[in-house]
Amino acid sequence: MKNANFPMDAEGHTYHVGLKRGEVCNRILTVGDPERAKRLAELLDEGAPRFVRETNRGFLTITGRYHGVPVSIIAIGMGMAMMDFMLREVRAVVDGPMCVVRIGTCGSIADAEVGDIIVPEASAAVVRNFDAFADLSHAGSTAAVPSDEDCYTLSSLFEGDAEVTAALRKSLGSRVGAEHVVSGVNVTADTFYAAQGRVDPCFVDRNTGHIERIQQRYPNAVSLEMENFALFHLARCAAPLPTGQSSIRAGAAMIAVFQRKKNESLSKADLAVLETKAGSAVLDVLASSLTDEEALLHDASTS
Ligand code: R1P
Ligand code: URA
């Protein structure tokens, strides 16, 4: 490995995602579950060159073509840190503008039913305020206790790319019915349990009324999941390209697998069917998301 600041091996592979220039392209469909990535890879053109890399850090990249257009499908596992690894390491080895769309699962906290697909226009992050838990002797003591409100920090909103988001809604609507495509604000939590308001009797989490507090600040908050904010935030923070173009256009489509108000869940079989439908819809958007000139830039880097 060379360069402790941004480590790469002698051949130019990044440290965690394990990709070098030419192995990944600038249209990216990212998912959490590697099995979802493999299922979506079945939608890629048969007979076209295919590159596959799985790393010891849990990343799986499959680069192929969709209707002749180069696309990479990347499974990243779970959590904002994994999105950060993927975006930074891929950005470092890809030329030109990138379009990145995540297909994930989420919990619905408003009216979306299980099986509906949420396409958020923006995302906030909610993270545990560790300091508020520093003195657990507060339980049962009369000392000043941080209020439950202070136990989690809710960020401001970061938006996805408006054009990509509109295209995703249209494309998904044509595959699953517009009535099953839901708009709104997504909230990305740093954990699945406490920071999503789940009750766990084995731990002190101070999260009573957590979802209601989120919806007080964001009345159109519709979903909770664990990566989307990192995508929208980093897309906004990406340095512009030398051409002045924005570096990363981002969008997301999330299948509601839990309905938190009704305590309902989606079956694995139904999820697999929806993943494939959502995959086709998102790949259609990715394939047309960059201009011909940008696509040529990309083709030059992978040929
Ligand atoms: C939790 O079960 C995981 O599911 C969601 C969350 O964001 C989290 O990663 O997304 P994926 O289905 O893409 O993993
Ligand atoms: N992923 C999450 O993070 N939360 C859910 O409720 C469902 C999927």
Side-chain angles (χ1 to χ4, degrees), residues 56-266:
N56 58 328
R57 294 297 190 176
F59 294 93
L60 169 66
T61 301
I62 303 167
T63 297
R65 287 181 182 249
Y66 179 75
H67 297 170
V69 177
V71 175
S72 293
I73 299 174
I74 309 184
I76 63 172
M78 293 184 281
M80 288 192 267
M82 295 298 272
M83 182 65 84
D84 189 275
F85 280 125
M86 188 277 283
L87 278 179
R88 290 178 191 272
E89 294 190 17
V90 169
R91 182 62 282 181
V93 296
V94 163
D95 298 315
M98 288 166 53
C99 183
V100 183
V101 177
R102 163 173 148 76
I103 297 182
T105 60
C106 68
S108 164
I109 55 172
D111 297 333
E113 305 288 354
V114 291
D116 284 350
I117 302 184
I118 292 165
V119 181
E121 51 267 21
S123 203
V126 67
V127 298
R128 192 173 179 101
N129 172 11
F130 301 107
D131 288 349
F133 294 82
D135 184 4
L136 286 179
S137 68
H138 283 313
S141 101
T142 53
V145 180
S147 72
D148 284 3
E149 269 178 71
D150 294 330
C151 290
Y152 297 85
T153 305
L154 183 59
S155 79
S156 54
L157 295 176
F158 284 71
E159 292 174 356
D161 181 275
E163 273 178 35
V164 171
T165 300
L168 286 172
R169 286 182 185 148
K170 192 167 167 211
S171 182
L172 284 158
S174 73
R175 300 268 177 181
V176 300
E179 69 281 15
H180 294 297
V181 179
V182 176
S183 303
V185 161
N186 172 66
V187 180
T188 299
D190 64 344
T191 60
F192 180 82
Y193 293 101
Q196 296 190 23
R198 290 187 161 92
V199 177
D200 180 352
C202 298
F203 294 89
V204 175
D205 288 320
R206 307 281 310 275
N207 62 357
T208 308
H210 182 69
I211 293 177
E212 290 76 6
R213 267 192 295 282
I214 289 172
Q215 289 177 324
Q216 251 165 29
R217 177 155 172 201
Y218 297 122
N220 56 343
V222 290
S223 54
L224 280 164
E225 52 75 75
M226 296 179 62
E227 296 82 16
N228 178 236
F229 178 84
L231 171 57
F232 285 8
H233 174 78
L234 274 187
R236 164 94 87 79
C237 297
L241 298 174
T243 54
Q245 291 166 291
S246 72
S247 170
I248 302 175
R249 293 175 215 161
M254 294 155 335
I255 302 163
V257 290
F258 296 115
Q259 212 317 331
R260 298 291 301 279
K261 291 199 297 187
K262 296 184 178 172
N263 200 21
E264 291 173 351
S265 51
L266 187 70

Side-chain angles (χ1 to χ4, degrees), residues 22-76:
E23 294 175 341
V24 56
C25 60
N26 56 354
R27 293 176 173 88
I28 293 171
L29 196 176
T30 184
V31 301
D33 178 355
E35 293 306 316
R36 187 180 310 147
K38 289 175 197 161
R39 191 170 302 123
L40 296 181
E42 290 170 14
L43 300 168
L44 298 181
D45 299 346
E46 270 178 43
R50 191 163 293 203
F51 166 86
V52 180
R53 162 104 7 94
E54 201 162 357
T55 75
N56 58 328
R57 294 297 190 176
F59 294 93
L60 169 66
T61 301
I62 303 167
T63 297
R65 287 181 182 249
Y66 179 75
H67 297 170
V69 177
V71 175
S72 293
I73 299 174
I74 309 184
I76 63 172

Side-chain angles (χ1 to χ4, degrees), residues 33 39 257 265-275:
D33 178 355
R39 191 170 302 123
V257 290
S265 51
L266 187 70
S267 73
K268 283 198 169 176
D270 287 347
L271 174 59
V273 170
L274 278 169
E275 283 173 347

